[in-house]
Structures are given as C-alpha cells and as structure tokens.
Amino acid sequence: MSEPARGPSPEPGPADVPQWINDLVPIAAHARALLRASAPTLALAVAAVLALPQLTPFSAPWVAAVCMVLGNVVALRHGGRNASTDDATDVGGNTTGSRATADARAEVGARTQSTSGTAAVIAAGELRPGGRTGALLVVLDLLLTATGVAALVGLALAGTDRPLLVAAAGAAAGLAAGVGTVAGLELSGRRARGAFVVLGAVAVAVIAAVVYVFNRLGPAWWWVLALAVVADAVGLLALRAGARNDRAPTRPGVP
C-alpha cells in the first residue's frame, strides 16, 4: 500500500523565529555597516603599525598611540545617541553614523524581503535599547584585534623584543580608550558639541600620557590584564547608559 504523497512543509512563520534572533539580526547588520564605514581608518592604522616598527628602535609607545587614536576616532565618529538617528545636525556635520544605520536598515529590509518568516521588527531594522552601543563596542573589539595582529607582524619582522606583549598592550590601550570615549558620549546624553570637544581633548591628553609612560616604563602583562578589566567594566557602564538614552524620548532641536 503506497504512502500518500507529502506536500512541501510550510515555511516558518514569525512566531517560529526565536525572539533573540529577531533582536540579534538588526544589531549584526548595524555592526556590519559600522565595520564598512570604519574600513579606511582601519587600513591606515594597520599600515602604520606595520611600518612604524621598521622605522623606530623603540616602537611600543607609537604602536599604543596608533591603537588609541583608532579607538578614539571610531568612538567619536559613531558613538552617542545621534549616531542612531537620521539627524543631519550631527557633530561637525558628520553623518557617518546616520548612513551606517540607514545601511543597516536597508540590509535587514532586503534580507526580510527574501525570507518570508522574519518578524516585522527585523524588517524595520529597529535595535533594542542598548543594541546601538553594543554593536559599536563589538566593532571596536574587532578593529583593535585586527590592528593588534598587524602590530604583532610588524614588530616580529622588525625583531622587536617581546613583540606579543607590545602588540597586546597597544591593542588593550586602544580598546580601553575607545570604550572610555563611548561611555563618555553615552553618559553625556546626546552628542552635544561641548561634550565632543571635551572628550576629544581628554583623548589627546590620555594618548600623550600613555606614550610618556610607555617611554619611561616597558609594558608588562599585568598592564594588559588591567586594561582589559577596565575596558570590560567601562563597556558595561556604556551599555547601561546607551540603553537608557535609547529609551529616552527624542527631542528635536536639542543639540
């Protein structure tokens, strides 16, 4: 006796998609857009950490400075509440954050059109409170990891002593600086010009201080561990502040 022919199984509906996927997909799309926007800055940083060890006998402070500049530049360009809106009055007229978010929404929308079972929240490309900040922190980690690997290659080619330690210390310093800048922008509420200028000045001072310390004292593994702990703690603070800012109502015309 023949079995009845089975028709094609129905495609999963929105109720069959786990909620954590609905939350994660827009964040991943936003992070991907931020990575594309940061690619030129990353390329410059990688070229610098590959070349500097070949040009200077003591390259540890310069590698750390490049990593910190990278972290601060990315944080200042994409951090803060206005980076998640289409606000044309972004600091200095910079609309990179707005374009990154628009690209993320376009990616998610296109993906949704080709997959009928995705929920409407993914189609809108909306991020949960804190998702914008979390995506930026992940991007900073990826960028500084890539720069640290490039620094390790450059230091090893130059025959520098303890290249792994120097590269790790530089990458950790850059990550801590970038995460600290993100936290400062989130704690200030919105990307006000005053906060932007103050954080930029503080970043320059911190970079100069770190370069001085690296010149006077050689890096140590306990530095790397301490910087990693600081970056994690400040990152959690930034996430909480970012989630609070995302929940707050947007007031047009507020700088």
Side-chain angles (χ1 to χ4, degrees):
M1 187 174 180
S2 61
E3 296 182 359
R6 295 180 180 178
S9 58
E11 295 185 0
D16 300 321
V17 179
Q19 183 59 38
W20 67 270
I21 294 181
N22 292 345
D23 298 336
L24 183 61
V25 170
I27 296 175
H30 183 64
R32 182 179 178 183
L34 289 177
L35 282 172
R36 288 203 308 268
S38 304
T41 307
L42 174 63
L44 290 175
V46 168
V49 296
L50 285 173
L52 283 173
Q54 323 304 323
L55 303 175
T56 59
F58 186 55
S59 52
W62 304 112
V63 169
V66 170
C67 291
M68 294 181 72
V69 168
L70 172 64
N72 279 302
V73 166
V74 173
L76 288 171
R77 288 184 65 188
H78 303 299
R81 185 176 178 187
N82 282 6
S84 65
T85 65
D86 294 330
D87 186 1
T89 62
D90 201 1
V91 176
N94 179 16
T95 58
T96 305
S98 301
R99 289 196 301 269
T101 302
D103 290 345
R105 292 178 178 176
E107 285 185 21
V108 175
R111 189 177 305 166
T112 304
Q113 291 176 0
S114 62
T115 306
S116 60
T118 309
V121 64
I122 302 180
E126 295 178 357
L127 299 172
R128 288 179 61 86
R132 167 184 57 81
T133 308
L136 179 55
L137 294 178
V138 170
V139 167
L140 280 172
D141 194 0
L142 292 174
L143 294 177
L144 268 304
T145 299
T147 307
V149 172
L152 175 60
V153 173
L155 292 165
L157 291 176
T160 306
D161 293 337
R162 301 183 298 174
L164 180 59
L165 173 59
V166 174
L175 181 60
V179 171
T181 301
V182 172
L185 286 169
E186 297 297 344
L187 290 172
S188 66
R190 293 177 60 86
R191 285 176 60 99
R193 292 181 184 273
F196 186 87
V197 173
V198 169
L199 285 172
V202 170
V204 172
V206 170
I207 292 172
V210 169
V211 169
Y212 176 77
V213 171
F214 268 68
N215 270 319
R216 297 297 300 269
L217 302 172
W221 282 112
W222 68 267
W223 287 21
V224 179
L225 178 60
L227 288 170
V229 171
V230 168
D232 288 341
V234 176
L236 291 175
L237 179 64
L239 276 175
R240 294 190 63 179
R244 179 199 63 198
N245 291 335
D246 293 342
R247 293 189 187 99
T250 303
R251 293 178 294 172
V254 178

